[in-house]
Amino acid sequence: MSTSSIQAVANALDASARVCVLTGAGVSAESGVATFRDPDGLWARFSPYELASMDGFLANPERVRDWYNYRRAIINSVEPNAGHAALATLERMFGENFTLVTQNVDRLHQRAGSVRVLEVHGSIHDNRCNNCDHVRSDDELVCPNCSSAMRPNVVWFGEDLPQDVFAAAEGAARTCDVMLVVGTSADVWPAAGLPMTAKMAGAQIVEINPNHTSLTQHVHYVLAGTSAVILPQIIEAMT
Ligand code: NAD
Ligand code: ZN
């Protein structure tokens, strides 16, 4: 698929009633939050299985908590970028006909003003009880309800996504006219399946990513560039 024009994508958005956006770690890269799978990403430097799985947590909860605290500190020290801001603007244009599905756990979308956000992989800012699913935003290590260990409220390898949140994401994918797929390698399932769900239901799919992904050959429009550059240009070109 060759590179499309910004104007063609802006026209497709102008012509659509319902819009869904799927974002991944790439959207936050220009804020200074490392992605996972890029050559300089987190998984090139750290062992994913030790840090983001239940086995890794049970083997060494302190190491896992330290790593999440390290990432929280980075996230708290950065700002949302122009790409996050453009998606908040797009939501204001479409109102309740807009859904933002994010795989990110950093809450930068909300800090930029997005409201309708489905966090399909949870949030790094909260902890959850391993046993009774009680969620807290403090750094309590033990659940006050059942005394089990608290853990980061994110989806780890081998774990299911929050069912109600993912069902809402699938609903938005099935009913949108245009889906923007931004800054995701589209390698992490089941979130990676949402663009194909949208396509099969008749939506036009737009990929915004500086790199080729496994999705690229299947989409209708490819904008090869970074989200903080491309997304504001799309908004600018809309009428
Ligand atoms: P990924 O690391 O697998 O892929 C990142 C993608 O972003 C790549 O395709 C890369 O080409 C693209 N990219 C890099 N810089 C970009 C930019 N400036 N603009 C647009 N695209 C850019 O990330 P993923 O697909 O989101 O992987 C999923 C998992 O990673 C999720 O589970 C998510 O929870 C987790 N994650 C989240 C964060 C965060 O919250 N900020 C950070 C790292 C990983
Ligand atoms: Zn509990």
Side-chain angles (χ1 to χ4, degrees):
M1 178 102 222
S2 61
T3 298
S4 316
S5 77
I6 299 274
Q7 191 61 57
V9 172
N11 293 348
L13 284 168
D14 278 332
S16 79
R18 297 175 80 88
V19 174
C20 181
V21 180
L22 173 66
T23 65
V27 170
S28 296
E30 285 153 288
S31 289
V33 182
T35 60
F36 276 177
R37 287 171 189 72
D38 289 316
D40 58 348
L42 293 168
W43 291 158
R45 291 178 281 146
F46 298 97
S47 153
Y49 203 72
E50 282 177 8
L51 297 168
S53 74
M54 184 51 78
D55 287 349
F57 182 67
L58 294 176
N60 193 341
E62 203 148 296
R63 178 175 57 195
V64 171
R65 287 194 181 114
D66 283 351
W67 189 65
Y68 279 90
N69 285 335
Y70 158 76
R71 288 184 56 212
R72 284 175 182 129
I74 293 172
I75 288 165
N76 288 335
S77 72
V78 305
E79 297 297 327
N81 63 55
H84 296 107
L87 292 176
T89 302
L90 205 57
E91 177 176 341
R92 286 191 288 275
M93 291 174 173
F94 284 91
E96 61 185 22
N97 294 318
F98 180 91
T99 306
L100 176 51
V101 180
T102 189
Q103 300 169 84
N104 294 346
V105 297
D106 58 26
R107 295 237 167 109
L108 289 176
H109 284 303
Q110 291 91 332
R111 283 171 58 191
S114 290
V115 179
R116 271 178 216 83
V117 185
L118 298 175
E119 293 175 316
V120 291
H121 290 163
S123 165
I124 199 172
H125 297 288
D126 295 332
N127 289 313
R128 180 176 89 236
C129 172
N130 234 344
N131 177 47
C132 74
D133 284 346
H134 174 62
V135 173
R136 304 175 65 87
S137 52
D138 58 19
D139 50 13
E140 201 60 64
L141 298 183
V142 171
C143 174
N145 293 345
C146 73
S147 305
S148 296
M150 298 294 289
R151 51 161 286 183
N153 190 23
V154 298
V155 176
W156 282 335
F157 291 105
E159 294 185 328
D160 291 335
L161 277 59
Q163 246 180 14
D164 47 342
V165 180
F166 194 66
E170 285 187 306
R174 271 195 303 271
T175 53
C176 66
D177 303 304
V178 171
M179 178 183 270
L180 306 182
V181 183
V182 195
T184 176
S185 59
D187 282 339
V188 180
W189 290 79
L194 291 170
M196 292 314 274
T197 298
K199 185 180 179 184
M200 285 189 291
Q204 298 282 299
I205 315 297
V206 181
E207 181 174 61
I208 300 166
N209 197 313
N211 302 304
H212 207 272
T213 73
S214 48
L215 192 68
T216 308
Q217 60 178 314
H218 302 291
V219 306
H220 302 94
Y221 302 93
V222 178
L223 297 176
T226 71
S227 48
V229 171
I230 301 285
L231 287 169
Q233 291 178 0
I234 295 173
I235 304 286
E236 186 69 29
M238 289 173 70
T239 54

